[in-house]
Amino acid sequence: MEITEKNRNRIFWGLQFLGWGSINLLSVLFLGKLSNAFIIFSVVTGTLIGVGTTSLLRYYLRTRIHYDNFGLKEVLRIGLATLITSAIFGLLNLALGYIYVKFGPELNELDLEILKTYDSPWLLIINSLFLIFGWVFCYLVIKLLLKINRDRMERLELNASLKQAQLNTLKGQINPHFMFNSLNNIRGLMLEDVAKAREMLTKLSEMLRYSLSMNNVNAISLREELEMVDNYIGLSRIQLEDRLQFHKEVEKSVLDRQIPPMIVQLLVENAVKHGISALKAGGTITLTIEETSDSLRIEVRNTGSLKISNGSTQLGLKNIRQRLKLLFGNTADFKIYEREGEVVAVINIPK
């Protein structure tokens, strides 16, 4: 059964009342022949106090504790919240115990013996700490198990969607429209410049080989990726001619960095298809790759505006996000926006 937010809440409240009710019932039954009124009072009030205080504690743990970035700060917060909850738990038990003695029904000898423990606040404090710390331990263990299961399911879903996105991207690389355009352009070029046509055929074959062989590889060098980009730009220039200007600014020190394959190529392809080719006068694509203090920054800028054309599935951009999510979790960053007449796509890959 899939554990949804609604199911989790039902399970939580069920376990709350079952757990606290059982603890209070067993504790009074093991003490001996208490009066029925005292048993009912102990079980009901003990359950309500336990459920109430730990539910407030749960709300704090859910809203104030960052489990994805768990550290000493979170440990201290949990410890302090647990101590405060234990104090409230103990004080409520103490107050209700005194109220029962003063206003409740007649007590038998065993009832009075049990209630004498209320004359020892330290005993109540220790009991409260034991119960609340036990509850926090169980809560965190369950939280961890649910997170592990959720992460596993998310990873499986990401793997499945990534494989589909990779397949779709591969199809996009070798779709008939792209192939026919490239081959027709090369055929026309053969009448003008045979050597250039041969070079373009080599680029096309290298591009197809790259798409087929690198699609299931998790990482390649930036140097190899840039060769793919150059091949793609070379083929695109046959069709767009002077309408496509391409500039590349890459630090030599990052050429051997490992990156997910087709990440840069997909950004450039997106800039050509949805940017330059849509402009009558053409435009410029600028690729900048540099190393910052904590990441590898990949930026692709192209002339144009950020708009989604009709029928666009944005498979390339989805593919990028899924690859980064799968390989780097939340530590990698990808964003695309419009700035001063240009569309800017930026990827930050952690070191």
Side-chain angles (χ1 to χ4, degrees):
M1 180 185 71
E2 183 183 358
I3 301 179
T4 62
E5 183 68 24
K6 187 176 181 180
N7 290 336
R8 280 202 299 270
N9 283 326
R10 287 178 177 176
I11 293 172
F12 170 78
W13 290 111
L15 290 176
Q16 277 281 78
F17 281 98
L18 180 63
W20 285 109
S22 300
I23 289 172
N24 285 281
L25 182 60
L26 290 174
S27 64
V28 294
L29 290 179
F30 277 117
L31 293 175
K33 295 183 179 180
L34 301 172
S35 65
N36 291 334
F38 186 69
I39 291 174
I40 294 172
F41 168 79
S42 296
V43 173
V44 172
T45 57
T47 300
L48 292 177
I49 291 172
V51 170
T53 54
T54 53
S55 295
L56 290 175
L57 179 57
R58 179 210 184 201
Y59 175 78
Y60 176 84
L61 295 177
R62 292 183 67 185
T63 56
R64 299 295 181 179
I65 303 301
H66 304 290
Y67 297 97
D68 291 329
N69 189 26
F70 202 83
L72 179 60
K73 188 176 182 181
E74 275 62 40
V75 173
L76 294 175
R77 283 181 174 178
I78 292 173
L80 181 60
T82 303
L83 290 174
I84 294 173
T85 304
S86 300
I88 296 172
F89 181 90
L91 289 173
L92 286 174
N93 272 285
L94 188 64
L96 291 176
Y98 279 118
I99 291 172
Y100 185 80
V101 171
K102 188 171 183 179
F103 300 105
E106 185 178 351
L107 304 170
N108 62 31
E109 292 182 5
L110 187 56
D111 292 345
L112 291 171
E113 190 68 26
I114 297 301
L115 287 170
K116 283 182 180 179
T117 58
Y118 287 86
D119 294 330
S120 177
W122 286 110
L123 185 60
L124 283 175
I125 291 173
I126 293 172
N127 181 62
S128 300
L129 287 171
F130 175 78
L131 288 173
I132 300 302
F133 268 99
W135 184 93
V136 169
F137 176 79
C138 292
Y139 176 82
L140 291 178
V141 168
I142 294 172
K143 187 87 173 175
L144 176 62
L145 292 175
L146 288 174
K147 186 178 185 304
I148 290 173
N149 182 66
R150 184 172 64 252
D151 290 346
R152 183 180 65 85
M153 295 300 296
E154 182 178 321
R155 199 167 185 84
L156 289 174
E157 290 175 1
L158 276 172
N159 268 305
S161 60
L162 178 59
K163 291 298 181 185
Q164 184 61 45
Q166 287 174 330
L167 178 61
N168 289 332
T169 302
L170 177 59
K171 290 177 180 177
Q173 295 295 335
I174 58 177
N175 68 72
H177 180 74
F178 175 81
M179 288 287 293
F180 291 153
N181 273 348
S182 299
L183 290 173
N184 282 331
N185 288 328
I186 292 171
R187 184 180 64 178
L189 187 62
M190 290 180 69
L191 300 176
E192 303 173 8
D193 190 339
V194 175
K196 186 69 173 177
R198 185 183 296 113
E199 180 186 347
M200 291 299 102
L201 279 173
T202 301
K203 290 182 181 296
L204 179 60
S205 65
E206 284 295 315
M207 186 175 172
L208 295 177
R209 180 192 62 80
Y210 182 93
S211 298
L212 291 167
S213 61
M214 296 298 180
N215 201 54
N216 291 318
V217 177
N218 286 332
I220 61 167
S221 69
L222 182 58
R223 191 187 308 273
E224 293 177 277
E225 177 79 355
L226 292 178
E227 289 177 5
M228 171 68 165
V229 171
D230 289 337
N231 288 335
Y232 180 81
I233 290 295
L235 288 169
S236 299
R237 274 178 171 160
I238 300 176
Q239 179 180 356
L240 298 174
E241 298 179 333
D242 293 337
R243 291 171 56 205
L244 172 59
Q245 301 297 320
F246 180 69
H247 301 294
K248 187 169 57 177
E249 302 169 5
V250 181
E251 294 180 356
K252 291 183 179 180
S253 60
V254 303
L255 289 176
D256 293 321
R257 277 290 304 271
Q258 295 291 301
I259 64 169
M262 302 178 72
I263 288 287
V264 181
Q265 192 274 330
L266 286 172
L267 288 182
V268 173
E269 180 182 340
N270 188 70
V272 173
K273 285 184 177 179
H274 304 292
I276 307 305
S277 63
L279 300 174
K280 186 176 181 180
T284 302
I285 296 176
T286 303
L287 169 62
T288 305
I289 304 178
E290 59 187 357
E291 199 162 27
T292 65
S293 58
D294 57 358
S295 66
L296 179 70
R297 187 175 188 276
I298 301 170
E299 179 185 275
V300 175
R301 305 194 313 271
N302 67 270
T303 309
S305 59
L306 183 59
K307 58 183 179 180
I308 302 173
S309 59
N310 293 332
S312 174
T313 60
Q314 293 188 290
L315 287 175
L317 300 182
K318 290 178 182 177
N319 182 281
I320 293 173
R321 288 192 176 92
Q322 288 167 334
R323 282 174 182 261
L324 294 175
K325 177 73 173 177
L326 182 63
L327 296 173
F328 304 105
N330 295 322
T331 59
D333 176 56
F334 171 52
K335 54 188 175 183
I336 183 168
Y337 55 92
E338 184 177 337
R339 182 186 65 193
E340 298 178 358
E342 289 185 321
V343 177
V344 183
V346 180
I347 294 176
N348 287 295
I349 298 177
K351 287 186 177 179

